[in-house]
Amino acid sequence: GWPQFIAKDWVPPYIRRIQQAGVRVFPYIDTLLWAQKDGPGYRSVDRFDTVGKKCACLKRDGGYYIENYRINDALPPFAAMCPTTRPWHEAMHATTRRLFAEYGFDGVYHDQVSAAQPKICWATDHPHEPNSDRAWTELGYWPMFERIDMLRKEFPTLASTTEDASEPQLNLFDGFMTWRWVGSHQVPLFASLYSGRAQFVGRIFSHRDRESFRINLATQLVNGEQLGWM
């Protein structure tokens, strides 16, 4: 249950085999959301009621920013976390370290961080003023990933990627898996401006858009990018 990302027992041996074939393995975690049912199999509440709620971004009316992903029937609603809160920093730092120390991954894919619209948080017990315009960046994800980046002292090959791209976060990540500016008849302005300053490690493509599908797939294969999304 998010944010607890625990590998199945059979995963580490497969990681070794994939790495021996010359492929770098980046597991998925979500550095924005906490499952409201975060116990095993999403069937029970583990720490959301005691910790997650305290870290959640609050709307002006006191409610949570809820997101639903009906990929399968097991997934519960998710609450967006305020990136300024210390327990959330600790959870993401510990998770990133564990993926290297215990499993030997090559990097971590932090989903949603650079793709999500900033949430305005009205909480009065978080380390920011209610409705602060600094909570998402200089008080939130900036210090969070500066601390994660310090793990390179222990794991020199650590790399962090995220979904899409965001100008205020260009210095936080090693790569962006983009899903904009890559379709037919789109102007790739962001990619053109930042191609020398950011590494694009993947791109979405759709077989329904045959023109962009072929060129994006070919580019991914030539550049050794993450294949997908299909």
Side-chain angles (χ1 to χ4, degrees):
W2 298 3
Q4 302 179 73
F5 292 88
I6 309 299
K8 303 283 188 182
D9 291 340
W10 52 265
V11 169
Y14 277 90
I15 295 172
R16 302 289 87 75
R17 292 177 61 183
I18 294 171
Q19 290 170 329
Q20 288 169 6
V23 179
R24 303 298 185 183
V25 186
F26 284 57
Y28 172 105
I29 69 173
D30 193 300
T31 314
L32 171 68
L33 303 177
W34 195 311
Q36 292 186 309
K37 287 188 176 181
D38 56 352
Y42 302 107
R43 290 186 293 269
S44 61
V45 177
D46 184 13
R47 301 179 66 229
F48 179 75
D49 285 347
T50 57
V51 181
K53 287 182 178 180
K54 298 176 182 178
C55 299
C57 287
L58 290 186
K59 297 181 179 179
R60 191 168 189 174
D61 62 6
Y64 304 125
Y65 292 91
I66 299 298
E67 298 186 14
N68 290 285
Y69 296 90
R70 297 303 182 191
I71 301 172
N72 58 60
D73 294 336
L75 291 181
F78 297 87
M81 297 293 105
C82 176
T84 70
T85 54
R86 189 67 182 179
W88 188 237
H89 277 226
E90 296 290 345
M92 292 299 96
H93 182 272
T95 298
T96 302
R97 186 188 184 283
R98 177 169 51 80
L99 293 172
F100 275 81
E102 294 186 18
Y103 301 136
F105 285 111
D106 299 291
V108 181
Y109 174 69
H110 298 269
D111 196 28
Q112 299 206 4
V113 174
S114 288
Q117 179 179 350
K119 309 294 189 292
I120 301 299
C121 183
W122 291 85
T124 59
D125 57 348
H126 291 179
H128 63 78
E129 295 179 354
N131 194 29
S132 171
D133 60 354
R134 303 166 60 213
W136 205 254
T137 51
E138 60 185 295
L139 299 179
Y141 282 120
W142 288 2
M144 177 189 292
F145 279 94
E146 286 171 357
R147 186 181 178 202
I148 288 175
D149 191 61
M150 292 178 65
L151 287 170
R152 297 178 196 270
K153 295 179 180 179
E154 187 176 0
F155 307 103
T157 61
L158 181 150
S160 297
T161 61
T162 188
E163 178 187 16
D164 213 7
S166 174
E167 184 180 57
Q169 299 171 347
L170 285 173
N171 62 321
L172 305 181
F173 293 99
D174 300 291
F176 297 95
M177 192 177 74
T178 61
W179 53 268
R180 282 185 259 243
W181 354 283
V182 290
S184 298
H185 312 298
Q186 286 186 288
V187 176
L189 184 59
F190 189 98
S192 298
L193 288 172
Y194 291 102
S195 61
R197 300 170 176 83
Q199 181 69 36
F200 300 106
V201 296
R203 63 197 69 209
I204 192 172
F205 57 78
S206 170
H207 63 275
R208 292 185 294 272
D209 185 353
R210 293 192 176 185
E211 291 181 48
S212 66
F213 170 83
R214 290 169 176 153
I215 190 62
N216 285 338
L217 180 58
T219 304
Q220 288 175 319
L221 290 169
V222 170
N223 292 347
E225 296 179 359
Q226 176 175 323
L227 296 180
W229 306 324
M230 298 193 181

